[in-house]
Amino acid sequence: MTGIPSFLSPIQLHNRLNRPVWIGFKLTRRGKRQLVLLSAGNESGAQLSKNFETFVGQIVREFKLDPAQTDFVELRQEQCEEGMTNSWLRWHAHWVGTAPMECKADPVTSESARTYLDEVLIRSSAAA
């Protein structure tokens, strides 16, 4: 559970090799949509780029989420001279029931979107 930002709750999932790993997790609402924030922290076995399909499939089933109404965003924190800096990736998937396929991530480049995600990270619930 090392490196998981304190604003996220640790949740144990199984990676693609069926090994238990901890990731940071936060579920919040944006109007009618769900927003899921995820972070692998320093856990190499929990790399989201390799395990996204496995992890979000488990999350959708466990929390009974509608994938069509849910956005998945990954937080990556990096050390820099000024301290920790956040970078965000928005994950996209083609869903077949509760199984994600053809997953890919795009960096969140909009300053307003990054600011919104930083605020959601530290608030207990997100504004619509």
Side-chain angles (χ1 to χ4, degrees), residues 10-42:
I11 183 174
Q12 189 177 49
L13 300 172
H14 288 83
N15 67 13
R16 61 192 170 94
L17 302 174
N18 202 31
R19 293 190 177 125
V21 294
W22 292 93
I23 64 167
F25 170 83
K26 184 172 187 173
L27 174 62
T28 188
R29 282 194 188 274
R30 294 184 323 171
K32 293 183 179 181
R33 297 190 63 79
Q34 303 287 331
L35 175 63
V36 176
L37 304 178
L38 302 169
S39 178
N42 298 337

Side-chain angles (χ1 to χ4, degrees), residues 72-86:
F72 295 92
V73 181
E74 176 186 357
L75 167 65
R76 292 186 181 172
Q77 290 189 314
E78 299 159 1
Q79 186 70 39
C80 68
E81 291 179 11
E82 297 83 33
M84 295 299 280
T85 177
N86 293 345

Side-chain angles (χ1 to χ4, degrees), residues 52-53 56 72 90-95 99-104:
F52 179 79
E53 292 177 11
V56 298
F72 295 92
R90 184 173 189 283
W91 282 89
H92 308 272
H94 173 74
W95 289 88
M101 304 183 135
E102 301 173 17
C103 301
K104 67 177 185 132

Side-chain angles (χ1 to χ4, degrees), residues 42-102:
N42 298 337
E43 178 82 39
S44 63
Q47 288 180 339
L48 290 176
S49 58
K50 292 183 179 180
N51 293 290
F52 179 79
E53 292 177 11
T54 305
F55 290 158
V56 298
Q58 291 171 64
I59 290 168
V60 163
R61 289 186 294 277
E62 176 70 24
F63 293 94
K64 297 177 178 45
L65 300 176
D66 177 1
Q69 294 295 320
T70 306
D71 296 309
F72 295 92
V73 181
E74 176 186 357
L75 167 65
R76 292 186 181 172
Q77 290 189 314
E78 299 159 1
Q79 186 70 39
C80 68
E81 291 179 11
E82 297 83 33
M84 295 299 280
T85 177
N86 293 345
S87 62
W88 296 96
L89 295 171
R90 184 173 189 283
W91 282 89
H92 308 272
H94 173 74
W95 289 88
V96 178
T98 59
M101 304 183 135
E102 301 173 17

